[in-house]
Amino acid sequence: MAPTPAYALIATDLDGTLLRGDDTVSDRSLAALARAARAGARHLVVTGRPAPRVRPLLGALGCTGLAVCGQGAQVYDAGEDRLLWSVRLDRELAETALGKIEAEVGQVYAAVDQDGVDGLTLIEPGYRMPHPTLPAVRVGRRDDLWCEPISKVLLRHAELSDDALAAVARAAVGRLATVTMSGPGTVELQPSGVTKATGLALAAERLGIAAERALAFGDMPNDIPMFAWAGRGVAMANAHPELKAVADEITSSNEDDGIAVVLERLFPTG
């Protein structure tokens, strides 16, 4: 039997992957990450959440290093509370993309994540936050969404499923922006060419870790580029079928400590 490969980087999505439904991380998962760290592996959060919405979770995880946020648009240094790298979505381009999507499916409801470590999440009338624990500021009209530089736009439709809305958005937007689906009720527009893989590659380069030594965990289609970049991709049991189709392995669900199940096998005690 071939020896177990040594992974130097553990890249984990948050929602639906490392986090349980109540936004907590189990003691078992924390212990497994600590075990991997003692073996020399670095843990890197790679999430669609923007840096301001990740900061409290990183503190709870004891992460003081890098994190990839905003679907790869931000590389955040938790220890110094600053962005080492960020890409903004042009606001005029975002408005144009929304217009093209609405020409195909009728009215959509939009929100934006502002750029920066203190950026706000703004939501227009009619938009419902898919994750009620995340703070957001409601604005009076769509034009108010563009008051400050943004990193991405979040979309919802009253009738279309996430898969259907994402498919229409990709066809309508083309190369104007990258369209991702990162969770229930979460279809997003981000800067063209930006994915979790681009942010993860930048962070890994700063850490001096090659792609083949990275182990990635995820649950949604926005994790597909990350799986393609990393040496091994592990999908959760609760993952979207598109991600399961490209995963090297499928583990237990986020509620059943799926990350810990894999790490305990790869990084045995002692």
Side-chain angles (χ1 to χ4, degrees):
M1 179 179 293
T4 300
Y7 293 105
L9 181 63
I10 313 299
T12 66
D13 174 48
L14 288 178
D15 297 290
T17 302
L18 180 60
L19 297 180
R20 297 180 292 192
D22 60 359
D23 262 12
T24 62
V25 181
S26 72
D27 290 341
R28 182 181 177 186
S29 292
L30 289 173
L33 287 169
R35 177 186 297 187
R38 288 193 297 272
R42 300 288 293 269
H43 175 215
L44 191 66
V45 166
V46 186
T47 177
R49 297 192 189 199
R53 307 289 87 81
V54 176
R55 188 189 289 126
L57 290 169
L58 294 177
L61 288 168
C63 295
T64 58
L66 304 184
V68 177
C69 308
Q71 302 293 10
Q74 301 171 329
V75 176
Y76 173 65
D77 187 322
E80 297 186 6
D81 190 28
R82 67 185 182 97
L83 290 175
L84 302 181
W85 182 81
S86 66
V87 181
R88 294 174 176 176
L89 177 59
D90 182 87
R91 286 169 280 181
E92 291 186 7
L93 184 151
E95 284 189 281
T96 299
L98 279 175
K100 288 180 174 292
I101 294 168
E102 290 187 319
E104 298 294 329
V105 300
Q107 184 176 17
V108 297
Y109 300 102
V112 301
D113 285 335
Q114 293 179 334
D115 189 37
V117 294
D118 295 312
L120 302 173
T121 297
L122 305 181
I123 59 178
E124 71 173 350
Y127 185 89
R128 180 169 53 87
M129 287 290 288
H131 211 298
T133 63
L134 296 179
V137 176
R138 189 169 297 279
V139 298
R141 56 198 181 109
R142 179 169 291 180
D143 287 348
D144 296 330
L145 297 176
W146 323 120
C147 62
E148 298 289 343
I150 62 172
S151 60
K152 66 179 178 180
V153 178
L154 301 90
L155 306 175
R156 301 200 74 167
H157 191 276
E159 299 176 357
L160 291 179
S161 68
D162 298 330
D163 290 285
L165 178 58
V168 171
R170 288 190 187 99
V173 169
R175 296 186 178 182
L176 289 178
T178 297
V179 178
T180 61
M181 181 170 55
S182 60
T186 313
V187 175
E188 302 178 354
L189 306 178
Q190 59 203 68
S192 182
V194 171
T195 67
K196 282 189 173 184
T198 58
L200 177 55
L202 285 169
E205 183 179 10
R206 292 185 70 96
L207 296 173
I209 300 174
E212 59 268 21
R213 300 198 66 203
L215 174 67
F217 293 87
D219 73 310
M220 291 299 290
N222 65 321
D223 296 313
I224 291 175
M226 178 169 70
F227 278 25
W229 179 88
R232 187 171 184 82
V234 181
M236 315 305 290
N238 51 287
H240 191 282
E242 289 183 18
L243 187 68
K244 287 183 176 179
V246 300
D248 297 300
E249 178 182 348
I250 298 173
T251 186
S252 305
S253 73
N254 62 317
E255 299 291 345
D256 293 322
D257 300 309
I259 288 179
V261 168
V262 175
L263 294 183
E264 287 166 359
R265 185 185 78 238
L266 296 177
F267 299 93
T269 302

